[in-house]
Structure formats: C-alpha cells, structure tokens
Amino acid sequence: MRSAIKKLVNATNIIDHAYLVKGRFMAVKPNIVILMYALANAENLSQSQLHNNWLLPLSTINTIVTECRNTGYITLEPIPGKRRECYLRFTPKGRKFADLLLADIHAAEEKAMQETAAKFSDRFVEALDFYARAFHNALNLGENKHEQ
C-alpha cells in the first residue's frame, strides 16, 4: 500500500510541477495560474468558491484578485442576495491573457488524457502516474526528474 501511496503522491507532485513551470515560463505567478485556470473553467466563481475548491488561503486570494483587478484582467460582480460576496469575471483583456496562458496547458492535458486512456487499466494509480508524466512531457518541460 505504501508503494501505491508513494506513486500517487509522486504523480500528483509531477502534475503540480508541470503547471508551476509552465506558469514560470510565461512569467506568471503560480497562484495567478490557479486563478486563471479556475475562472476559465467555471461559469460563476466567487472568492469563497476559489478558497473552498482550490484550497488557496483567503489572504492569497485577496492578493491575487487585487493584482488581477489592477492589471485589468478581472472585475468583481456582486452576487444577488449576498452582501459581501462577488463573482470574479474576466475582462476582455483577462480572457485573452487566460486563453494565451492556458492554451498549452489545456492542449497538454488533452494529449495526456488521450495517451492515458489508450493505456488505461483497472489500476487507477498506474493510470494517474502515466497521465502525470505524459502531461509533463506534453508541455515540453524536458526529461522528467521525478523518479520513484
């Protein structure tokens, strides 16, 4: 069991590393990559939902939301019936930025998932491990240094 857990943790670390490095290649802070990714994949996303679903600290969320508002990437839209909560919305500039930032990531995710599906078995941990390595390679991050 410990071997499977180690493999699972290693696989998830590889996935996290790929997102982090791709963001760095584009000179984007990791938490802004998370915000752009979350916002691009949600019709309605509040700061509270970002905190709950993506496990970012509220202080971090406040910082990145302020930064993205100041750069003109997002706006805040009050949620009807909620006094202090707002939806995060892309501006046209923000949508363009997110699309550029996430294009390679989404393409790599899809490529990795296709490769994973082709080799998938009933062993989920093996499939996730394969997906993580395929995703890392699909982003052209070079040889994977995350060995078991």
Side-chain angles (χ1 to χ4, degrees), residues 2-116:
R2 291 303 311 162
S3 175
I5 291 168
K6 180 182 174 188
K7 190 170 260 188
L8 178 61
V9 169
N10 188 46
T12 58
N13 285 336
I14 291 167
I15 293 167
D16 289 346
H17 181 259
Y19 288 106
L20 174 76
V21 171
K22 186 59 181 176
R24 279 188 194 151
F25 282 163
M26 297 190 68
V28 178
K29 295 175 185 173
N31 290 324
I32 291 180
V33 174
I34 293 170
L35 174 60
M36 295 293 117
Y37 192 98
L39 196 52
N41 291 294
E43 191 167 317
N44 293 309
L45 182 69
S46 69
Q47 287 174 282
S48 176
Q49 291 167 322
L50 187 61
H51 169 68
N52 293 330
N53 298 342
W54 292 84
L55 306 176
L56 291 176
L58 290 173
S59 60
T60 300
I61 292 170
N62 289 333
T63 300
I64 61 176
V65 165
T66 299
E67 187 173 331
C68 288
R69 284 181 74 194
N70 290 343
T71 57
Y73 292 155
I74 65 170
T75 61
L76 299 179
E77 177 185 305
I79 299 174
K82 302 274 185 166
R83 210 180 112 182
R84 297 181 47 157
E85 203 167 345
C86 294
Y87 287 127
L88 307 172
R89 300 281 191 227
F90 280 124
T91 63
K93 177 182 176 181
R95 171 54 71 185
K96 185 176 179 181
F97 172 74
D99 288 348
L100 178 65
L101 172 66
L102 299 173
D104 287 346
I105 290 173
H106 287 159
E109 288 170 334
E110 291 171 19
K111 179 179 178 187
M113 190 58 75
Q114 288 170 351
E115 290 181 26
T116 301

Side-chain angles (χ1 to χ4, degrees), residues 115-128 130:
E115 290 181 26
T116 301
K119 294 190 180 248
F120 191 81
S121 71
D122 59 354
R123 296 179 302 185
F124 174 75
V125 174
E126 290 295 328
L128 182 58
F130 182 84

